[in-house]
Amino acid sequence: MGLESVRSLGHRTDLVLLERSGSTVVDHGDHWVVRTPDNPAFWWGNFVLLRDAPAAADTSAWVARFEAHFPHAEHRAFGVDGTRPGVVALAGFAAAGYEVAADTVMTATAVRPPARPHTGAALRRLESDEDWLQHTELALSGQPDEETRERERPFVTARGVSQRRLVETGGGAWFGAFVDGRLVAQLGLVPAGRDGRGCDEGGMARFQEVETHPAARGQGLASALVHHASEYGFGELGASTLVMVADPGYAAIRIYRALGFTDTEQQVGASLSPRAVAGPGSGAGSGDAPS
């Protein structure tokens, strides 16, 4: 069975875009194995997607299978297919110390203009090398200190390379909000079709990595950028449905709802950081858990 058998809209569009950006997805019947060889620190590019919620008693067996698939991985990451599995689907992993989260998969067939649009930023595609260098720095801006930023830089840089490759091979666009030439907010919008030439996966396009610089939050930049990209999606891409995945506990979800996105599904995953895998006092790096 191929990706068309993945029931979760969030996971299915994730896997489609991962494949198109250079990752591999292998169906093993009761689970899929996703690999991103160019970026082994990318947790959600190197993970196991379970076809069904596992019994709590099977947790250690699934961990062993992950370790067999990824013998050199410093992290552990699992997803569960389904439209509303809830965190209970990974209760055994939670009991084993994993961080378990249920993100909200949102969809829109039309969008409304922002109530308070930001008018001082230039909204345009990322195109030049300088644009993409700023993309990396913006992606790192949310880290708490310089040490953490530099530790995460290889992962973020490699992820940026794959994102640029994805859009430059005809797969949508990465947009930025620029103030005085400085990138202060960004996101991607990519067709969910596997051939990269349009929205052939039910007319869907998937948002990627909505980010705003910490010093520029609360100014309406994300609303303006999501609306701008949505118009591109419905127009140039010919999408009939836009897909967004959001943390239900994060303030940005209210922005998406105000623009016309509605809650559709849940997307569940469990992860264990390299430090937790290695054990207390190991000195292992913290890794990164991108959404």
Side-chain angles (χ1 to χ4, degrees):
M1 291 182 284
L3 297 188
E4 63 277 1
S5 66
V6 180
R7 294 161 291 168
S8 163
L9 177 60
H11 282 305
R12 186 169 70 251
T13 53
D14 272 341
L15 299 187
V16 166
L17 300 188
L18 282 165
E19 275 195 333
R20 282 183 31 217
S21 60
S23 302
T24 63
V25 180
V26 179
D27 189 343
H28 290 267
D30 57 353
H31 68 288
W32 293 265
V33 174
V34 184
R35 300 179 191 275
T36 305
D38 293 343
N39 196 358
F42 181 14
W43 296 6
W44 297 108
N46 298 277
F47 75 103
V48 170
L49 176 62
L50 309 179
R51 191 174 296 278
D52 297 298
D58 293 337
T59 299
S60 60
W62 278 113
V63 172
R65 292 179 81 173
F66 180 98
E67 292 170 349
H69 287 305
F70 299 96
H72 304 295
E74 297 181 349
H75 70 282
R76 305 288 183 267
F78 298 85
V80 174
D81 191 18
T83 59
R84 292 197 174 275
V87 294
V88 68
L90 289 167
F93 287 87
Y98 281 65
E99 180 179 354
V100 178
D103 288 330
T104 300
V105 180
M106 313 181 78
T107 57
T109 56
V111 291
R112 297 183 287 270
R116 293 193 296 265
H118 189 287
T119 58
L123 308 180
R124 64 171 178 81
R125 300 188 194 196
L126 273 60
E127 296 177 337
S128 68
D129 290 345
E130 174 60 26
D131 288 346
W132 285 95
L133 285 173
Q134 290 202 59
H135 164 280
T136 298
E137 296 308 314
L138 175 55
L140 289 165
S141 66
Q143 299 296 340
D145 52 56
E146 185 64 25
E147 180 182 355
T148 306
R149 282 192 290 275
E150 292 310 307
R151 184 173 65 241
E152 300 298 336
R153 185 175 294 277
F155 155 71
V156 173
T157 300
R159 184 181 62 174
V161 169
S162 67
Q163 290 167 340
R164 186 175 186 179
R165 181 191 308 128
L166 180 62
V167 300
E168 289 185 347
T169 55
W174 219 269
F175 291 95
F178 292 81
V179 175
D180 297 327
R182 179 168 169 257
L183 181 66
V184 292
Q186 63 182 348
L187 57 78
L189 183 61
V190 186
R194 296 185 72 181
D195 63 6
R197 293 190 294 273
C199 297
D200 63 344
E201 178 73 17
M204 293 187 294
R206 170 73 186 266
F207 275 93
Q208 300 277 283
E209 306 292 341
V210 182
E211 298 172 313
T212 304
H213 193 282
R217 291 172 184 165
Q219 301 176 20
L221 287 162
S223 292
L225 202 55
V226 170
H227 182 261
H228 178 80
S230 295
E231 291 190 320
Y232 158 82
F234 289 129
E236 188 168 333
L237 291 183
S240 59
T241 303
L242 305 181
V243 181
M244 177 85 74
V245 178
D247 180 343
Y250 190 54
I253 197 168
R254 295 196 298 270
I255 294 172
Y256 310 144
R257 288 171 178 155
L259 292 172
F261 286 82
T262 58
D263 299 8
T264 303
E265 298 181 359
Q266 289 181 326
Q267 181 176 355
V268 175
S271 59
L272 197 65
S273 73
R275 185 180 299 277
V277 171
S282 67
S286 64
D288 195 297
S291 61

